[in-house]
Amino acid sequence: MTGDVTVTGFGVRTAFGTGADALRRGVFAGVPSFAPTTRFDTGPYRTPMAAAAPDGPDAVEDWALRHALARCGREALDMADLPRGTGAAVLLGIAGDCTSITRYWRDAAAVQGADENAGAVGDRGAAAVRLADAVPARLAESLAGGLELTGPRLTFTNACVASAAAIIHACRLISSGRIDVAVCAGGYLVEEETFGKFDSGRALSRDGMVRPFSADRTGLLLGDGVAAVVLESAEHARRRGARPLAGVVGWGAATDAHHIAQPHPEGVGLARAARQALRLAGDPDGSGLGYVNAHGTGTKYNDGAETRGLRAALPERAESIPVSSTKSTTGHLLEAAGVVEFVITMLALMDGVLPPTANFTRADPECDLDYVPNRPRQADLRRALTINAAFGGANTALVLERP
């Protein structure tokens, strides 16, 4: 399957800023982006910390999902040198839980209130526009329309694998010849409702840092993340003279349905997804892998289960392959995690640098792999694996290859 799907453009935005250089200065340098957020009142919660973009009226409006997705999409298309009007599919990973419903009706009430006040036309218009951020399918339509893309649209709402699932579906469509080009995107911005849910579940780090795979890890922290990637059939990219950034040579998805929130303790679903991706890449033993970008949430249950899942998927190679969690710097980007970490993994291939697991302190006996602690590492990479997991036991895996 090598070369069937290629990446020709991307746009990315995190708390570190916009573009690849911001990721290099932050993620690849092992610099955490966590700080007290003033986006909402954090007084009721156990921690004020998040990896959120700088606050303020202008920054918050600029970070509205519809704006951030459109900006990343434009950057990806410009890098790929694809014109507006391209018949590209748009596949989006975004929140699909009751958060969107709550926002929808809250803003709908604001619209109704504005209607009852004849002098509040501006408020009515602003509230109506914000409805686009609350409805997943509407966001995909908005993104496609703003980028003037004329292909099919599809939205994925399967939690923390949503944008990775969008990429996998696009790869399937391209490799089967059903489409030539797809823009895959995902986004999550730190907001109070989800923050409160993770806080009530005692999943947020108590000490303001995320320490994946460390014995003293205390939980995750949320972060802002938005990204878009352009995927093309290799033949289509060659015909128009596009520069390939990476090949997507394997993909897999599996659900173990072990628990609504906890991963299977042996990482069964993760191992199954990784094995699918490696078989499709023609490398079932992972002999060509030089790096794994782990899901690595820094929670008690995830990190040990993920380690065991990697050992099951790579029984002969797990101990010799570097593994790191970039959530130690970006925070957990939820629905955007898959696509942002896809971009990070691609940069590792392009630059020959492994991003570290920041904040690593001391080893956990249950987490006994090479986690690239605290400092970046030079590496001559040919292939890398990026994996994600979500509530309900959903797991995804993608194998990228340097062109």
Side-chain angles (χ1 to χ4, degrees), residues 13 39 53-68 71 189:
R13 209 167 181 206
R39 196 169 289 176
D55 295 311
D58 293 336
V60 170
E61 176 61 20
D62 189 40
W63 267 88
L65 272 178
R66 61 188 179 278
H67 297 316
R71 178 170 178 174
L189 306 179

Side-chain angles (χ1 to χ4, degrees), residues 255-265 392-393:
T255 302
D256 57 51
H258 169 72
H259 187 275
I260 191 170
Q262 296 173 14
H264 190 287

